[in-house]
Amino acid sequence: MGIHLGQVVAGILTLTMFVMLGQMIKRDHFDSLQDKLPGEAQDVQVDNANVIEKDGLVKPSKGSKGPWMKDSQELKPCWSRTTFDGIEQSRGYVTFSLTNGPEYHVSQMADAVVVARYLEAALVLPDIRGSRPGDERNFEDIYDVEKFMKSLNGVVKVVKELPNEISIRDLAAVKVPNRVTEDHIVENVQPIFKSKGNIRLATYFPTVNMRKTTQKSSVDSVSCLGMFGTLELQAEVSEVVDSMIERLRTLSHKSDGLFIAVDLRVDVLENKNCHGSGTNVAKSCYNAQEIALFLRKVGFDTDTTIYLTQSKWDNSLSVLKDIFPKTYTKENIMPEEKKGKFLEFEGSELEKVIDFYICSKSDVFVPALSGLFYANVAGKRIALGKPQILVPADIPGTSAAVMNYLAPYVAKKNHLAYSCFC
């Protein structure tokens, strides 16, 4: 029996459909892979989906070489200081530390402010502790103390240190989940605070999903203020970040000063399984070669300037530099006189802060790694009106529309930031 031509065509179309579906599944599940955050088993959420331009959210930038997109208007905070009731005399103290980099700092600060506000306690200015021994700093080494205290004026009382009569040994240790709720505070924190009078708070991360929820809470405005309205870089750190961004823009003269920031760290890639074991197995990260091919296929020219969060150059990055010669790490573009302090050892809190803020202010951000860095950089960019976040994927063929890889945090407006900004 012969095979009808219509049957052959139908078979080809069906096969093509399954190939396309497989690629969509890979991208859709880039946000749902297991990851390890310090001390906890994590359910990591890194948004991705196949999307198109709509509602004027992101528009191509005319006159530039490549698929660059225009910035949106910077958003305004939805919360207002007039919505906060005045604070009473503090009834004790809440202490905490900022740890493991700025992507954690913003979440830790939000939780601490919410807890202190609810308990009507004074918030003690935190110290900053890195992930490696000896990397301990004062708050003012990285952030602006006066602006921080001013931001919480009338909302939470802030003190620079505990009174001498209170010993650190007398503080009750309390752990709260990221995005702590009012119910959790009532059930698990308030009884300890009433009993002990003072607590030391630590945030753990059962998930790094930063999607907004439909459930409203009385602590939402306080949480928004804590996450987006409290932490600003102190002058020297801000100047270093600005000088590096200016250097990248100077190097990008062929693309009108536009550049891409890619969160790609070799040490993290080596500790993660970046390669799926089957056709539809999701990937948690992409290596240098995969990022290079992704950027070329969505239309970026080989003259494009790329900033990598990798601390120092690694030979595995050469494949990316072969395709995009203007690929740089911190050591290439940091002012020489600042390297001794800011690059004192690899992976320091100062390095992480530089990466976080450059990725927040770049023209395009590409998260090659799943995790909280991506989620909280996305929040910062949304607030700044910089929605150009491209989540990588394996692209069949030689080209693809860049809008298909816009992060759903932006395309679907489902990031927590959209609950905080209007």
Side-chain angles (χ1 to χ4, degrees):
M1 183 186 299
I3 299 176
H4 193 275
L5 178 60
Q7 292 176 301
V8 174
V9 173
I12 293 173
L13 290 174
T14 300
L15 180 60
T16 302
M17 179 186 71
F18 278 110
V19 170
M20 293 176 64
L21 179 61
Q23 293 301 326
M24 289 177 65
I25 291 173
K26 281 186 180 182
R27 295 197 293 271
D28 288 344
H29 286 275
F30 186 59
D31 64 346
S32 61
L33 299 169
Q34 294 297 319
D35 194 8
K36 292 285 186 181
L37 299 182
E40 302 292 336
Q42 304 302 328
D43 179 15
V44 173
Q45 300 288 337
V46 177
D47 269 22
N48 193 21
N50 199 16
V51 298
I52 60 173
E53 180 182 0
K54 57 182 179 180
D55 301 329
L57 185 66
V58 179
K59 298 179 180 179
S61 180
K62 295 181 180 179
S64 297
K65 201 173 182 181
W68 302 98
M69 296 169 277
K70 292 181 180 179
D71 286 350
S72 303
Q73 186 174 0
E74 188 169 339
L75 301 182
K76 303 293 184 182
C78 294
W79 72 89
S80 169
R81 303 193 68 82
T82 59
T83 62
F84 297 117
D85 296 329
I87 55 175
E88 304 292 335
Q89 181 69 30
S90 60
R91 302 177 181 178
Y93 296 88
V94 172
T95 69
F96 70 111
S97 294
L98 298 176
T99 62
N100 299 310
E103 67 270 32
Y104 289 87
H105 296 175
V106 293
S107 294
Q108 292 162 344
M109 182 58 70
D111 292 327
V113 170
V114 166
V115 170
R117 168 74 183 185
Y118 190 88
L119 298 177
E120 297 180 345
L123 190 65
V124 180
L125 197 70
D127 61 350
I128 300 175
R129 301 182 182 183
S131 55
R132 54 191 300 168
D135 191 9
E136 298 182 7
R137 303 176 189 276
N138 295 321
F139 184 86
E140 59 266 27
D141 291 338
I142 293 179
Y143 298 111
D144 189 313
V145 175
E146 299 308 316
K147 288 184 179 179
F148 171 73
M149 298 183 73
K150 184 178 180 181
S151 71
L152 292 175
N153 185 35
V155 180
V156 174
K157 181 179 179 181
V158 180
V159 298
K160 293 188 176 181
E161 55 187 18
L162 278 170
N164 292 331
E165 62 268 21
I166 298 177
S167 172
I168 295 178
R169 294 190 297 270
D170 296 332
L171 300 174
V174 179
K175 293 181 70 176
V176 297
N178 179 35
R179 299 172 69 174
V180 63
T181 63
E182 184 177 352
D183 288 343
H184 185 92
I185 296 172
V186 171
E187 295 174 12
N188 301 285
V189 182
Q190 193 171 44
I192 299 174
F193 182 74
K194 286 183 176 180
S195 172
K196 299 294 185 179
N198 307 289
I199 60 174
R200 179 162 182 80
L201 200 66
T203 296
Y204 65 94
F205 292 79
T207 176
V208 295
N209 172 21
M210 284 296 157
R211 291 175 185 165
K212 66 180 179 181
T213 62
T214 55
Q215 185 177 359
K216 299 296 182 181
S217 169
S218 62
V219 301
D220 287 348
S221 292
V222 180
S223 179
C224 287
L225 171 63
M227 177 168 283
F228 296 107
T230 57
L231 296 176
E232 292 190 32
L233 297 180
Q234 56 99 315
E236 184 185 10
V237 181
S238 181
E239 288 171 5
V240 169
V241 170
D242 289 345
S243 69
M244 293 173 69
I245 290 175
E246 184 60 32
R247 174 64 174 154
L248 288 165
R249 297 206 181 285
T250 300
L251 293 166
S252 307
H253 59 277
K254 289 187 177 180
S255 56
D256 297 336
L258 306 175
F259 72 95
I260 299 173
V262 181
D263 180 30
L264 193 159
R265 289 161 279 157
V266 173
D267 59 325
V268 180
L269 290 174
E270 290 175 348
N271 292 325
K272 296 177 71 172
N273 179 18
C274 296
H275 305 284
S277 57
T279 303
N280 293 332
V281 175
K283 292 174 58 115
S284 64
C285 47
Y286 287 81
N287 62 32
Q289 179 177 347
E290 291 166 327
I291 291 297
L293 293 176
F294 170 73
L295 292 175
R296 284 296 288 138
K297 287 184 177 183
V298 297
F300 286 102
D301 191 85
T302 55
D303 282 329
T304 301
T305 298
I306 298 176
Y307 173 80
L308 300 179
T309 57
Q310 168 69 16
S311 294
K312 296 182 180 179
W313 191 257
D314 186 271
N315 289 335
S316 65
L317 303 174
S318 296
V319 63
L320 176 58
K321 197 173 183 67
D322 287 344
I323 298 175
F324 294 96
K326 294 180 179 179
T327 297
Y328 305 99
T329 59
K330 282 177 283 296
E331 61 183 349
N332 303 126
I333 59 172
M334 182 178 288
E336 195 66 35
E337 67 276 12
K338 299 295 183 180
K339 290 182 180 180
K341 177 177 180 178
F342 287 85
L343 302 181
E344 56 184 334
F345 56 84
E346 194 169 331
S348 71
E349 290 298 279
L350 285 172
E351 280 199 21
K352 293 175 182 178
V353 164
I354 289 170
D355 289 333
F356 186 84
Y357 283 87
I358 290 180
C359 288
S360 297
K361 296 180 178 182
S362 63
D363 300 287
V364 171
F365 171 56
V366 178
L369 306 163
S370 61
L372 194 64
F373 188 94
Y374 158 67
N376 277 337
V377 165
K380 186 79 170 176
R381 292 183 66 92
I382 288 167
L384 293 173
K386 290 184 169 292
Q388 309 93 317
I389 305 169
L390 302 180
V391 180
D394 297 325
I395 300 175
T398 58
S399 64
V402 69
M403 296 305 300
N404 287 348
Y405 303 94
L406 187 66
Y409 270 148
V410 172
K412 297 180 181 180
K413 294 189 176 181
N414 65 5
H415 194 283
L416 174 64
Y418 287 110
S419 299
C420 296
F421 291 90
C422 305

